[in-house]
Amino acid sequence: MKAGEACGIFAVFGSPDAARLSYLALFALGGRTYKLKFGHHGSNHPVKDLATGRIEITAQNHGFCVDADSLTGHDVKLTHLNLNDQTVEGLCVPDLKAFSVQFHPEAGPGPHDARGLFGRFVETMRGESS
C-alpha cells in the first residue's frame, strides 16, 4: 500500500517520532517542504493550537518546514503555528483522517501542554472527529 492510499483508510497522526510517515503523507498529497535557516531545536518553543487558542510550550528538533501553500486540492487546515517565526507546526486533512505536528508532543517541556493531541488521535480512530 502506498502512503497516499493509507490516508483516508487509517487514521494517521504524524509527530516527529513518525516524521517519515508524516512527510510521506505530505508528499503523497503534493506538498513540499523547505529548509529553515537555523531550524527549530530545543525546548521552550511557543506554538499556538489554532483550534483551542492555547499556547503550548514545545520541544522541537527539525530543520525543515511544511510549505502550506503547496497543499492544494485537499481540504488541508493549518492547526498549529510557531509563534517565534510564524511557520507551520501542524496540519490536518479531515477528509483523510490525518493530522500531523512538527514538534514533540510526547516530550512535554511545559506541564504536558500537548498531551491532548493523543486524545484527538484516539477520537479520530474511533470516528468521533477528524
Side-chain angles (χ1 to χ4, degrees):
M1 178 177 289
K2 296 178 182 175
E5 294 170 348
C7 292
I9 297 172
F10 304 104
V12 177
F13 174 29
S15 70
D17 290 337
R20 288 183 180 92
L21 172 62
S22 178
Y23 283 141
L24 284 175
L26 169 75
F27 296 143
L29 295 172
R32 293 185 309 269
T33 60
Y34 62 92
K35 186 167 178 45
L36 294 165
K37 186 172 183 177
F38 298 107
H40 295 163
H41 306 284
S43 59
N44 297 323
H45 289 262
V47 171
K48 185 172 186 175
D49 181 332
L50 300 176
T52 65
R54 289 187 54 207
I55 308 302
E56 301 169 347
I57 303 303
T58 66
Q60 301 195 11
N61 188 26
H62 58 271
F64 288 82
C65 186
V66 172
D67 178 0
D69 294 333
S70 70
L71 294 169
T72 58
H74 287 280
D75 184 21
V76 178
K77 297 180 181 179
L78 178 65
T79 62
H80 292 79
L81 185 68
N82 187 301
L83 295 180
N84 288 334
D85 59 9
Q86 306 303 302
T87 55
V88 174
E89 289 291 345
L91 293 170
C92 175
V93 186
D95 59 326
L96 297 180
K97 298 181 184 177
F99 66 98
S100 177
V101 293
Q102 285 277 91
F103 55 89
H104 289 270
E106 79 287 355
H112 306 290
D113 285 356
R115 185 175 278 172
L117 288 170
F118 297 102
R120 281 189 206 171
F121 181 55
V122 170
E123 290 172 2
T124 301
M125 287 189 299
R126 291 180 179 152
E128 298 169 8
S129 69
S130 53

